[in-house]
Amino acid sequence: MGRRIGLQTVEIESKPRIIGTYNIVGPKEGQGPLKAYFDRIIEDDLNGADSFEKAESSLLYTAISESIKKSKLKEVDINYLLAGDLLNQLSSSCFAARDLNIPFIGLYGACSTMAESLSVGAMIMEGGFASYVVAATSSHFSSAERQFRLPLEMGSQRAPTAQWTVTGAGAMVLGKNGNFPYVTHVTTGKVKDYGITDVNNMGVAMAPAAVDTIKQHFMDTGRRPSDYDIIATGDLGVIGREFTEKLLLEYKYDMKGHYIDCGEEIFDAKLQPGTNSGGSGCGCSAVVATGYLLKNMLKGKFKRILLVSTGALLSSTSPLQGETIPGIAHAVAIEFGVSK
Amino acid sequence: MGRRIGLQTVEIESKPRIIGTYNIVGPKEGQGPLKAYFDRIIEDDLNGADSFEKAESSLLYTAISESIKKSKLKEVDINYLLAGDLLNQLSSSCFAARDLNIPFIGLYGACSTMAESLSVGAMIMEGGFASYVVAATSSHFSSAERQFRLPLEMGSQRAPTAQWTVTGAGAMVLGKNGNFPYVTHVTTGKVKDYGITDVNNMGVAMAPAAVDTIKQHFMDTGRRPSDYDIIATGDLGVIGREFTEKLLLEYKYDMKGHYIDCGEEIFDAKLQPGTNSGGSGCGCSAVVATGYLLKNMLKGKFKRILLVSTGALLSSTSPLQGETIPGIAHAVAIEFGVSK
């Protein structure tokens, strides 16, 4: 049985294992600093599809189906697929789920969806409802640009604070047994809005939510930043990461040496012009978590990590109606090889 | 602990109680056959807001906050808010959640969201993660029309198969104790696509998913239609309901006398021109479930019901890219006063 500790955190007693993962990324991500951690790098960002939306969905389908194969399982073994994405009406996930014969729970937390799906997946496992679940998400630079910003054909200039939506998908299979990294805690975030209106500065819009969830996680668990080898926010970028670090220091949590942002890590802004403040999108924390974070856990480099995927909960309509940008962040603590 | 029975169904041993509900609807719904079952009927479908999207969000906020009050609880008592809606990027739910100090799990299952949020909420309760959760959803005729179809100002003619998106929101508070209707089983649906392309005939597009989930629920539980006082699909409308009934009869499940569709019940097509095949939208099964179904359970009229909310998983883009319309249906069995 799960156990509530503090206001927003639960302990997952049965420690669901992440028994298999798969990620697939676009060409730009495949040229970035984390290229060695991706399972597949596609050459054409349309991935053979005739639209960017269908391409994104095909990436998600691949990540899910390959993660199941890597776990030596079949679709029929999976009790629940938990997935979401940024596209209107969760298009990428719904069409990927159509081609998979698995009961489907669609989730939306904007770019927080990797931690959200992993959280709910771990809770469902703990409740005794499943032997295996898959948690997954995706994003695509070109489908996001045209939905949220401007048609690519306009060639508009990017703000220095702008982030580059990651083209990629990541999936994790949760199971009950085996010597794999396992989920120990889930901290579910609240929606936070500090009145940011600049849609080209999402990192700063999401930072208060990241700060709130990380701070609450520490308060609930009694842990400190140094209890984690790595605390990884989802996609705040350089600017949002610096902002988060400063705000947490005001609460006396010194993150130095224990904190990275997936969006900052995935691109090299100097060698990859246009990526500016860093990567973003649901796929960002999904491919960095299933790549750099979990692969290094398996190698013994990290023993305890906190994945804090972060989402900006604006819609394609809300800024036009004068709304500010709310954010949310969900945290999942994962361990491997920690001696008690 | 939850228990898997059959391929897609789980038994919820702890029987989470639906301890409080609230619904709020628009003027048209308030003139329909179920008007006596609504907690609040608004006179102006903008509800004092300056856009239909904000109006929808205000309805959802009201349903959630009033359901908490009716349960004699405060926001701080609620461990999780599970909500979703039809708007791009779950706008109605995200902005309602911003004004509520509750950890938020966003869900998307199109119009299946009431059963989806109730399902996940019941599983989280069973897992020992929460004392109280709220499951909620909303829709709004005018925000849906302009997002999915045509600007209202065009005054376009409605197809005979068309459905009228319900303006309304419903919320349910789940708790552990008390003499209230309780959740016994959850059957999570798969995405089904039978190649329907007519966006004005959603009922028929969703019917195969409804049939699949209902049939699977019967197979998993060993129950028959006659074991339920009412089986209520979400928003198939008259045409989709007839189609579902026929298809289930082919599988030897005779639904006659035990089956209604929330979309068919909420409007009177003769007295309310334009509603055609019936109501639709996430709000449809939410307000009928929190109204007609649960209020009649409390009165002792229904002892066992199966809520089967149904969603059409198209996006505002997918039909333009030549895609067919996938559907999904989730089923939740609810009991009250059944003698063992």
Side-chain angles (χ1 to χ4, degrees):
Chain A
M1 287 285 277
R3 196 164 66 90
R4 293 195 62 78
I5 51 169
L7 287 175
Q8 288 171 239
T9 304
V10 293
E11 207 176 287
I12 316 276
E13 207 183 47
S14 64
K15 304 198 182 344
R17 273 74 167 169
I18 301 168
I19 64 167
T21 64
Y22 196 87
N23 59 35
I24 175 169
V25 298
K28 197 179 189 95
E29 292 70 20
Q31 287 156 9
L34 302 185
K35 59 185 170 192
Y37 295 98
F38 300 129
D39 295 307
R40 196 185 306 174
I41 298 165
I42 57 171
E43 281 172 32
D44 160 22
D45 72 351
L46 269 170
N47 200 24
D50 57 10
S51 76
F52 294 122
E53 290 75 14
K54 291 184 184 181
E56 183 185 328
S57 191
S58 76
L59 295 182
L60 183 57
Y61 174 84
T62 301
I64 296 166
S65 55
E66 292 296 321
S67 73
I68 296 170
K69 276 187 214 161
K70 266 185 73 178
S71 308
K72 300 190 181 71
L73 295 169
K74 297 207 164 73
E75 277 176 38
V76 71
D77 299 316
I78 310 297
N79 301 124
Y80 297 98
L81 166 64
L82 299 124
D85 59 89
L86 289 174
L87 294 184
N88 293 343
Q89 288 75 54
L90 233 63
S91 205
S92 174
S93 303
C94 293
F95 285 96
R98 182 181 62 180
D99 296 330
L100 293 156
N101 193 29
I102 307 172
F104 172 57
I105 295 174
L107 298 164
Y108 184 79
C111 308
S112 75
T113 306
M114 189 67 248
E116 187 189 1
S117 59
L118 184 58
S119 297
V120 179
M123 290 199 265
I124 285 178
M125 293 287 298
E126 176 92 341
F129 296 110
S131 300
Y132 300 103
V133 307
V134 176
T137 183
S138 66
S139 55
H140 193 296
F141 172 74
S142 301
S143 65
E145 281 298 305
R146 72 174 170 193
Q147 181 177 281
F148 289 105
R149 284 169 281 265
L150 294 162
L152 291 176
E153 291 79 357
M154 285 178 68
S156 50
Q157 207 176 345
R158 298 175 66 77
T161 52
Q163 294 176 243
W164 189 279
T165 305
V166 164
T167 298
M172 303 184 190
V173 180
L174 291 179
K176 289 178 179 174
N177 303 307
N179 190 27
F180 298 103
Y182 48 87
V183 176
T184 62
H185 296 82
V186 165
T187 305
T188 303
K190 295 176 180 175
V191 179
K192 294 285 154 183
D193 190 331
Y194 278 60
I196 304 289
T197 54
D198 180 359
V199 294
N200 290 308
N201 197 355
M202 300 282 213
V204 167
M206 293 186 281
V211 169
D212 192 70
T213 297
I214 293 170
K215 178 169 68 72
Q216 193 64 47
H217 178 82
F218 290 146
M219 289 168 63
D220 289 347
T221 57
R223 292 182 175 177
R224 310 273 317 164
S226 57
D227 288 316
Y228 288 98
D229 297 312
I230 290 277
I231 295 164
T233 48
D235 58 344
L236 302 179
V238 184
I239 300 165
R241 194 262 305 147
E242 286 173 354
F243 198 67
T244 299
E245 218 168 307
K246 268 185 203 162
L247 284 171
L248 280 166
L249 199 56
E250 288 185 18
Y251 291 107
K252 313 281 180 225
Y253 293 113
D254 185 358
M255 301 283 279
K256 202 156 285 176
H258 301 275
Y259 176 33
I260 63 165
D261 178 73
C262 299
E264 185 174 1
E265 302 296 319
I266 196 168
F267 295 122
D268 183 326
K270 278 179 204 149
L271 296 176
Q272 299 185 291
T275 60
N276 300 11
S277 187
S280 66
C282 301
C284 183
S285 69
V287 303
V288 176
T290 52
Y292 179 72
L293 295 175
L294 286 166
K295 287 181 181 176
N296 275 322
M297 282 198 109
L298 286 169
K299 281 183 197 158
K301 188 174 167 190
F302 306 141
K303 292 192 165 182
R304 193 187 270 163
I305 66 167
L306 188 68
L307 176 67
V308 192
S309 302
T310 39
L313 300 173
L314 78 172
S315 81
S316 38
T317 306
S318 62
L320 304 175
Q321 297 187 355
E323 271 297 356
T324 51
I325 305 172
I328 195 161
H330 302 299
V332 182
I334 305 171
E335 282 185 12
F336 186 57
V338 176
S339 49
K340 296 288 165 192
Chain B
M1 288 286 277
R3 198 164 65 90
R4 294 196 63 79
I5 51 169
L7 287 176
Q8 288 171 240
T9 304
V10 293
E11 206 177 288
I12 316 277
E13 207 184 48
S14 64
K15 304 196 183 350
R17 273 74 166 169
I18 301 168
I19 64 167
T21 63
Y22 196 88
N23 60 36
I24 175 169
V25 298
K28 196 178 190 97
E29 292 71 19
Q31 288 157 7
L34 302 185
K35 59 186 170 192
Y37 295 98
F38 300 129
D39 295 306
R40 196 185 306 174
I41 297 165
I42 57 172
E43 282 172 30
D44 160 22
D45 72 350
L46 269 169
N47 200 26
D50 58 9
S51 76
F52 294 122
E53 290 75 15
K54 291 184 183 182
E56 183 185 329
S57 191
S58 76
L59 295 181
L60 183 58
Y61 174 83
T62 302
I64 295 166
S65 55
E66 292 296 322
S67 72
I68 296 170
K69 277 187 213 160
K70 266 185 74 180
S71 308
K72 301 191 180 70
L73 297 170
K74 296 205 164 74
E75 277 175 38
V76 70
D77 299 316
I78 310 297
N79 302 124
Y80 297 98
L81 166 63
L82 298 125
D85 58 89
L86 288 174
L87 294 184
N88 293 343
Q89 288 75 53
L90 232 63
S91 206
S92 174
S93 303
C94 293
F95 285 96
R98 182 180 62 178
D99 296 330
L100 293 158
N101 194 29
I102 307 172
F104 172 57
I105 295 174
L107 298 163
Y108 185 79
C111 308
S112 75
T113 305
M114 189 67 248
E116 187 190 2
S117 59
L118 184 57
S119 296
V120 178
M123 290 199 264
I124 285 178
M125 293 287 297
E126 176 92 342
F129 296 111
S131 300
Y132 300 103
V133 306
V134 176
T137 184
S138 66
S139 55
H140 193 297
F141 172 73
S142 301
S143 65
E145 281 298 306
R146 72 173 170 194
Q147 182 177 282
F148 290 106
R149 285 169 280 266
L150 293 163
L152 291 176
E153 292 79 356
M154 284 180 67
S156 50
Q157 206 177 347
R158 299 175 65 77
T161 51
Q163 294 175 243
W164 188 280
T165 306
V166 164
T167 298
M172 302 185 189
V173 180
L174 291 180
K176 288 179 180 175
N177 303 307
N179 190 28
F180 299 102
Y182 48 87
V183 175
T184 62
H185 296 83
V186 165
T187 305
T188 304
K190 295 176 180 175
V191 179
K192 294 283 154 185
D193 190 331
Y194 278 60
I196 303 290
T197 53
D198 180 0
V199 294
N200 290 309
N201 197 355
M202 299 281 213
V204 167
M206 293 186 281
V211 170
D212 192 69
T213 297
I214 294 170
K215 178 169 67 74
Q216 193 63 48
H217 178 81
F218 290 146
M219 289 169 63
D220 289 347
T221 57
R223 292 181 175 177
R224 310 276 315 166
S226 56
D227 288 316
Y228 288 99
D229 296 313
I230 290 277
I231 296 164
T233 47
D235 58 343
L236 302 179
V238 184
I239 299 165
R241 195 262 304 148
E242 287 173 354
F243 198 67
T244 299
E245 218 167 306
K246 269 186 204 162
L247 284 171
L248 280 165
L249 199 56
E250 287 186 17
Y251 291 108
K252 313 281 181 225
Y253 293 113
D254 185 357
M255 301 283 279
K256 202 155 285 176
H258 301 275
Y259 176 34
I260 63 165
D261 178 73
C262 299
E264 185 173 2
E265 301 296 320
I266 197 168
F267 295 122
D268 183 326
K270 277 180 203 147
L271 296 175
Q272 299 185 291
T275 60
N276 301 11
S277 187
S280 66
C282 300
C284 182
S285 69
V287 303
V288 176
T290 51
Y292 178 73
L293 295 175
L294 285 167
K295 287 181 181 177
N296 275 323
M297 282 199 109
L298 286 169
K299 282 183 196 158
K301 187 175 168 189
F302 306 141
K303 292 192 165 181
R304 192 186 271 162
I305 66 167
L306 188 68
L307 175 67
V308 191
S309 302
T310 38
L313 300 174
L314 79 169
S315 81
S316 38
T317 305
S318 62
L320 305 175
Q321 296 187 354
E323 271 296 356
T324 51
I325 305 172
I328 195 162
H330 301 298
V332 182
I334 304 172
E335 282 185 12
F336 186 57
V338 176
S339 50
K340 297 287 164 190

